[in-house]
Every structure is written in C-alpha cells, then in structure tokens.
C-alpha cells in the first residue's frame, strides 16, 4: 500500500521491497540524528499487520513458533520465528499481547501467506487470525513510551501500529525520517532483517536470532530438532558480520553483492547504508570459517569485520563422541 507520506515535498521512495514508503526526505543524516533524538518518526507502513485473538492464542502460538509465548505479559514486546521442518526461517514477527489479542507486524507482502498458514493450524482451538494491513500502519520512533497515547494505536516496543487514517498526523507532528535512516541504525544495531540477511537456507543461529526471537528451552515446535542439533552438536555453516566499508568509495554494495576473500566468494551482502557517524556500513553473511580479522571485499569495496555471530556458535553441550556419531 503506497504511503500518503510519499507525497510530502522532498520525499524519495525507497527501493524494493520498500518502494511504497520514503527512503528519505532530503537529508538522510539529519533524519538519523532527529530520529535518535526522539524528534522524528519513520514511516514503515508497507509492513503487514496481523491480529490474533481468542483465549487460546498464546499457548497456540507458543506451540507453533520459536519463542516462549505462553506466559507473555500484556504490553511485553518480543519477537518470534516460524520455521520449516528443517529449521529454516520462513517468517519473523515482532509482536505484543495487549491482554485481548496478539498484534504482530511482518515483512512487506508476507502477511497473506502467514495468515493462510495460521488458519490451517487452528484446528478446534479458540483463536481467530485477521490480516489488518489495510487498516493499520507501522511507524517507528526512538522511544515509544514517551509518546502521547494515540487512540486505537498499539505499541510493539518502539514500533507503533496505528489506524492508517492517522498516519498523516505524524504522531502529533513529529518530523519525518526516511527508511534509509532506520536501516542505517538497524545495521549499526546488528539487527538482521528477513529477506535481506536471510535466504531460503537460513537457520536462526546464523543471524543471531537465538535469544531475541528463539527460546532454547521451550516446548516443541516445527524445526526445533535442527535448532537443538546445531546448538548442542555442531556449528551453523554461516555467520552474520558487521562490515566497516571503505569510505573513499562512492558506491555502496547492493543486496546480494558477493563478499570475497583471496579471490574466493565467501558470502554475500545483506544490507548497506551510510551511517551519520560510522560512515558506510553493511551487514553480510559469510562462511563460518572466514577468519574474523580478514579484510574482505564486499561488492568490490574493501571491508573490515566486526563479529556478531562468533565462529564457534553452537556445540554448547559436552557429549560423548560415540553418542555424537550416532546422533549425526
């Protein structure tokens, strides 16, 4: 859904899959600083919004997804994943329970698929799943707790789900910051994004979702066997890294650009941006065995690494070697 804020003078649309919202409004660095100061909001209204109601909602979601949700307190924001049978990530949700329903927002264009899946899994349980993307918009601020309450809005951490007709009010007149500002700060914060730092093979360990979006000691859910196997017995084949890019180069490596070490492709770029303090930065996923102190080439740009997921992630339980061979 194209945001009406794209009609703001100076607005420039972001790239795919975010072309329905503004990448910037003329000054990306100033927008980053204003956002951090709590003086601006970022329009992320292209994201999907899903509401799950009914008395069985938390125990049901707990049984299906990676996070422990059966004892989630009202107002407590968290994240969860839906995995396939091989433990690969299919959906990433940011969510909160308001005491009557769970509200979640997801990547642009993915809510219909998620709702279809959830409807298939209802069986006889007392839950109802509704896609509210047409009626609700997602905006982000630096500290949502400081906002004057907005009628009908739901807070998911520092994300605000508000009725779309209120989007133009800018949460009481806040300045607009574009998605470029949000993405630069997301990259600085080492936060992966589904479809950018993930692909069809990604497992949670590779991008640092163990903990923030996945609880290792909760009950069973689809994909748990792979999660447990990697955590207890092995290492993920790839790891998320933060890259400091050569600032003397005018261009940023695009999504999917190859990461090269000694003329060998060892990974790919997920997201890149220009940070108002750090300069050009990126998130990339590389092979676990890439030395952490190696200088890389990311889309032809020299880059040094900052470790996010360590090479020795996983294999956290000591186990008899003979048993390990049988399990493998």
């Amino acid at each position: 859904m194209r945001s009406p804020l794209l009609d703001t003078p100076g607005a420039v649309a972001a790239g795919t899959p975010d072309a329905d919202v503004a990448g910037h409004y003329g000054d990306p660095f100033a927008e980053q600083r204003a956002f951090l100061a709590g003086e601006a909001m970022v329009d992320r209204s292209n994201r999907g919004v899903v509401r799950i109601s009914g008395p069985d909602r938390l125990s049901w979601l707990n049984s299906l997804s990676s996070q422990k949700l059966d004892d989630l307190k009202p107002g407590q924001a968290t994240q969860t994943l839906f995995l396939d049978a091989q433990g690969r990530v299919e959906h990433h949700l940011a969510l909160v329970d308001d005491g009557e329903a769970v509200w979640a927002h997801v990547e642009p264009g993915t809510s219909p698929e998620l709702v279809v899946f959830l409807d298939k899994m209802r069986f006889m349980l007392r839950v109802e799943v509704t896609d509210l993307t047409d009626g609700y918009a997602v905006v982000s601020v630096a500290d949502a707790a400081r906002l004057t309450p907005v009628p009908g809005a739901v807070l998911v951490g520092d994300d605000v789900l508000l009725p779309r007709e209120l989007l133009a009010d800018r949460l009481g007149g806040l300045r607009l910051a574009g998605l470029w500002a949000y993405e630069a700060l997301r990259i600085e914060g080492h936060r992966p994004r589904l479809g950018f730092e993930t692909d069809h093979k990604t497992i949670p360990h590779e991008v640092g979702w163990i903990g923030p979006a996945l609880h290792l000691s909760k009950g069973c859910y689809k994909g748990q066997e792979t999660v447990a196997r990697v955590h207890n017995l092995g290492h993920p084949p790839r790891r998320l890294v933060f890259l400091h890019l050569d600032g003397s180069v005018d261009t940023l490596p695009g999504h999917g650009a190859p990461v090269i070490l000694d003329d060998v492709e060892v990974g790919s770029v997920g997201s890149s941006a220009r940070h108002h303090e750090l300069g050009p930065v990126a998130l990339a996923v590389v092979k676990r065995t890439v030395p952490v102190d190696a200088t890389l080439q990311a889309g032809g740009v020299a880059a040094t690494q900052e470790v996010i997921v360590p090479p020795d992630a996983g294999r956290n339980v000591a186990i008899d070697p003979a048993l390990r061979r049988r399990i493998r």
Side-chain angles (χ1 to χ4, degrees):
M1 298 184 65
R2 184 182 185 278
S3 172
L5 299 181
L6 266 177
D7 297 326
T8 303
V12 176
T16 303
D18 300 311
D20 286 332
V21 297
H24 67 89
Y25 297 91
D27 193 342
F29 287 166
E31 292 165 27
Q32 287 182 45
R33 291 189 288 268
F35 181 83
L36 286 172
E39 300 167 354
M41 76 173 203
V42 174
D43 177 11
R44 302 172 69 207
S45 60
N46 58 327
R47 291 180 64 80
V49 176
V50 176
R51 184 177 187 267
I52 302 149
S53 59
D56 295 329
R57 63 188 183 280
L58 291 177
S59 59
W60 178 63
L61 289 171
N62 186 73
S63 70
L64 294 175
S65 70
S66 63
Q67 188 60 276
K68 182 169 172 52
L69 301 174
D70 54 347
D71 57 358
L72 188 68
K73 301 296 188 294
Q76 178 185 351
T78 190
Q79 306 170 49
T80 196
L81 307 171
F82 288 96
L83 311 178
D84 69 10
Q86 287 72 47
R88 297 172 295 206
V89 180
E90 294 188 321
H91 293 280
H92 172 246
L93 288 69
L95 61 88
V96 74
D97 188 88
D98 67 1
E100 297 182 356
V102 169
W103 293 76
H105 63 88
V106 296
E107 285 295 327
T110 65
S111 60
E113 178 187 353
L114 175 62
V115 168
V116 168
F117 166 72
L118 291 175
D119 274 336
K120 288 180 179 178
M121 302 302 294
R122 286 192 305 163
F123 303 113
M124 298 298 290
L125 295 175
R126 297 169 298 171
V127 293
E128 183 175 349
V129 183
T130 309
D131 190 338
L132 294 179
T133 305
D134 288 348
Y136 277 79
V138 181
V139 300
S140 295
V141 294
D143 187 358
R146 295 170 51 190
L147 292 174
T148 300
V150 177
V154 178
L155 301 187
V156 185
D158 287 331
D159 302 320
V160 184
L161 315 184
L162 74 163
R164 283 193 177 270
E165 63 268 21
L166 302 180
L167 185 60
D169 293 341
R170 305 184 189 180
L171 297 178
L174 289 178
R175 174 176 176 171
L176 294 177
L179 193 65
W180 287 12
Y182 182 89
E183 287 291 282
L185 299 171
R186 176 182 70 82
I187 292 169
E188 179 200 13
H190 300 174
R191 301 193 303 274
R193 182 177 174 187
L194 188 74
F196 284 72
E197 285 69 52
T198 73
D199 58 23
H200 67 285
K201 299 182 294 183
T202 298
I203 59 176
H205 307 72
E206 295 178 322
V207 294
W209 270 331
I210 303 298
L214 188 148
H215 194 288
L216 284 168
S217 59
K218 67 179 289 290
C220 294
Y221 56 93
K222 187 166 70 170
Q224 184 192 31
E225 182 177 352
T226 296
V227 170
R229 184 185 295 270
V230 173
H231 181 70
N232 295 329
L233 303 175
H235 301 296
R238 301 177 296 179
R239 59 185 181 87
L240 183 68
V241 296
F242 178 82
L243 298 179
H244 293 273
L245 302 170
D246 181 357
S248 67
V249 179
D250 291 337
T251 59
L252 291 171
H255 171 68
V259 176
I260 305 295
L261 174 62
D262 297 333
D263 299 322
V264 176
E265 185 171 339
V266 294
S268 62
V269 173
S271 309
S272 61
R274 298 190 186 278
H275 190 275
H276 71 288
E277 291 182 341
L278 300 178
V281 293
L283 292 176
V285 176
V286 301
K287 292 181 179 179
R288 180 183 66 84
T289 53
V290 172
V292 297
D293 58 352
T295 298
L296 307 173
Q297 292 286 323
V301 181
T304 58
Q305 303 174 63
E306 190 173 307
V307 174
I308 300 175
V309 176
D312 60 352
R315 197 174 295 176
N316 289 316
V317 176
I319 191 168
D320 181 79
L323 176 59
R324 188 190 303 279
R325 284 195 295 273
R326 289 199 297 272
I327 294 176
R328 283 178 174 172

